[in-house]
Amino acid sequence: MATKRHTIALFGGTFDPVHFGHLRMALELRQALGFDEMRLLPSHQPRHRQSPGVSSRQRSEMLALALQGCDELLLDERELNRGGDTYTVDTLEELRKELGQEVSISFCMGSDSLLTLHRWHRWQRLLELAHLVVVTRPGWHLPKSGDAGSNPKLMDLLQSHQGTATDLYEQALGSLVLREQTMLPISATEIRQLLNSGQSPRFLLPATVLQYIEDHQLYTKAVATGDQ
Ligand code: ATP
């Protein structure tokens, strides 16, 4: 019988700002798939791609506030510390070097991100470094290589790597695992729009994060020209 490996999952995003949709998703994934660690990984955004008036460091500080008192979810700031453009493949290469070949690493994402994976830097390498765990709506299926709108090379690669949840602790890398899960209907875009129009996003994100946003006057037109 295969031994259970140490399992580390990563949940990447801009978290601009972090909200309850992200936090529930990460926690439910950890609980459902039994990961030993679940790390939230804020991506670094070069200044020209940042929300006006909100730095990468501030996005990460909001995430740290959201995770206060929550031992189940960890913050991994490596992409911010590295700076420059953020490529998932570089992060996974770095983690592999750090953790060795035996630890199971899973990179988690939504199914919308999966369909555009062929635009990611060195995307063919991703499954050589980690598993991909894709959160889907109930009933969602991976498109076939001939289906309209899908990238044939990507679909062939994904079809050939499709696996099950047990792969995540029996193998260190290489499986695509689809996981059906309901998502809370919250988006960071909506939160930014509410703030920008002077309305409250209360109850969509942790109160500590909202307090930080108010204290630093983030996502409002008033500071849009005063980027730090
Ligand atoms: P934006 O509205 O700015 O595009 P977002 O809320 O979609 O932001 P990101 O930080 O870009 O958030 O996403 C990080 C990850 O969180 C992605 O994998 C995305 O699929 C997932 N995600 C986003 N919103 C939700 C949600 N409501 N429930 C669960 N997962 C979510």
Side-chain angles (χ1 to χ4, degrees), residues 35-227:
F35 293 119
D36 294 314
E37 273 181 42
M38 169 58 89
R39 303 186 187 183
L40 279 77
L41 187 78
S43 61
H44 178 67
Q45 299 267 32
R47 274 171 80 102
H48 64 276
R49 293 219 312 268
Q50 288 175 12
S51 287
V54 185
S55 67
S56 297
R57 196 49 69 185
Q58 286 175 319
R59 287 185 293 106
S60 188
E61 281 172 9
M62 289 189 273
L63 201 40
L65 282 174
L67 299 181
Q68 253 175 15
C70 172
D71 296 338
E72 292 105 321
L73 304 177
L74 304 171
L75 174 60
D76 189 329
E77 292 189 301
R78 70 184 57 237
E79 295 193 345
L80 262 63
N81 296 337
R82 203 165 63 224
D85 277 336
T86 299
Y87 295 119
T88 301
V89 70
D90 295 338
T91 301
L92 295 176
E93 298 268 17
E94 194 180 296
L95 270 167
R96 262 290 156 230
K97 273 200 197 117
E98 220 171 87
L99 301 169
Q101 297 305 310
E102 296 305 316
V103 169
S104 164
I105 302 177
S106 295
F107 190 84
C108 307
M109 63 174 81
S111 54
D112 39 342
S113 306
L114 183 75
L115 298 179
T116 56
L117 201 71
H118 56 286
R119 298 198 204 122
W120 293 23
H121 185 53
R122 294 173 61 215
W123 59 274
Q124 282 107 329
R125 176 88 177 122
L126 298 170
L127 280 160
E128 295 170 6
L129 294 162
H131 299 294
L132 295 180
V133 173
V134 176
V135 180
T136 72
R137 291 197 183 82
W140 189 88
H141 295 289
L142 194 60
K144 298 208 170 47
S145 60
D147 288 355
S150 67
N151 178 285
K153 260 195 195 161
L154 172 64
M155 292 311 145
D156 283 345
L157 180 92
L158 296 177
Q159 294 282 357
S160 63
H161 284 76
Q162 228 180 315
T164 62
T166 52
D167 296 345
L168 303 178
Y169 56 83
E170 287 183 355
Q171 320 288 336
L173 51 89
S175 282
L176 169 74
V177 176
L178 302 182
R179 160 92 200 145
E180 286 188 0
Q181 203 162 289
T182 319
M183 294 189 189
L184 295 177
I186 303 174
S187 78
T189 304
E190 182 200 354
I191 292 174
R192 291 195 300 273
Q193 282 166 354
L194 285 170
L195 287 161
N196 196 247
S197 62
Q199 290 179 289
S200 172
R202 203 170 172 190
F203 308 131
L204 297 176
L205 72 178
T208 47
V209 175
L210 181 54
Q211 188 63 54
Y212 182 99
I213 290 172
E214 287 172 359
D215 290 348
H216 295 81
Q217 296 176 289
L218 305 182
Y219 306 110
T220 61
K221 276 193 184 123
V223 294
T225 51
D227 197 4

